[in-house]
Amino acid sequence: PWTADEAGSRISLVEGTTPGLLLVTVLGDNAAQAAVVAKQAVLTLSASSRTHQIDAVTAQEQQVQATANAINARLQALAPTGPGRTALQQQYQSQLDQLGQLQVTGLSRLTALADPVTSDGPVSPKPLRDALLALLAVLIVVSELLVLLRGRLGRSTSRAWAGRVARKYNAAL
């Protein structure tokens, strides 16, 4: 039921500590939903990876085939006993070998190394942490209010106030 923006904010992909290892993190409304989305994310990544690999291999095959065709055309234009024919034949054979290797090379697949790990407890909010932060904020606000009230009360001068000020600035009263 997520929109693309929600999915983008709830699904994260991070490189693992080992080369080639990807960690998929999903924040769902519940543990079952997160596990299903995580499994589907791995399948989607695998399909996308295969598509990119197929495109890359096809582009390489086309490039090698074009090079082999150009060498073959030059080879056909030479006389059967012409100079450089053996070098061109070796280059042509090398291109054919490279083309064969590209066609035989298997595509890699992404697979899940472990089932999704889910937590039954709420991920957010964390009530104890939130309560402690709220208490700290209230204490700061209350202390600031007390300082403000203390500074505003007692605006008239009295003998006690004058004595405090005199002691503070080492003045004679």
Side-chain angles (χ1 to χ4, degrees):
W2 300 340
T3 64
D5 291 336
E6 285 178 321
S9 67
R10 290 178 175 229
I11 301 171
S12 66
L13 182 66
V14 184
E15 285 186 39
T17 55
T18 308
L21 182 68
L22 300 173
L23 299 175
V24 178
T25 304
V26 178
L27 299 175
D29 296 331
N30 55 43
Q33 182 188 42
V36 168
V37 172
K39 287 180 183 177
Q40 186 60 42
V42 170
L43 293 175
T44 303
L45 284 171
S46 178
S48 177
S49 172
R50 286 185 65 79
T51 302
H52 287 297
Q53 286 179 341
I54 289 171
D55 291 345
V57 167
T58 302
Q60 285 179 338
E61 284 177 354
Q62 289 173 350
Q63 183 180 7
V64 170
Q65 185 67 45
T67 305
N69 289 342
I71 293 172
N72 189 27
R74 287 177 34 205
L75 192 60
Q76 295 301 322
L78 282 178
T81 58
R85 185 168 181 84
T86 57
L88 279 177
Q89 284 177 334
Q90 288 176 349
Q91 287 177 357
Y92 180 67
Q93 188 59 44
S94 170
Q95 292 297 316
L96 291 179
D97 292 342
Q98 188 176 0
L99 186 61
Q101 287 175 350
L102 285 173
Q103 291 172 346
V104 171
T105 303
L107 299 174
S108 62
R109 274 191 102 87
L110 294 178
T111 57
L113 295 179
D115 287 332
V117 177
T118 57
S119 147
D120 291 334
V123 175
S124 179
K126 297 187 185 219
L128 181 60
R129 184 198 65 182
D130 292 347
L132 290 175
L133 284 175
L135 176 66
L136 181 63
V138 166
L139 286 175
I140 291 171
V141 168
V142 166
S143 65
E144 290 296 326
L145 285 175
L146 288 174
V147 167
L148 177 70
L149 288 175
R150 185 170 183 235
R152 294 287 180 201
L153 293 178
R155 281 228 175 246
S156 62
T157 58
S158 66
R159 183 157 180 82
W161 177 82
R164 280 195 310 270
V165 171
R167 280 192 302 275
K168 182 176 180 182
Y169 295 107
N170 295 324
L173 177 62

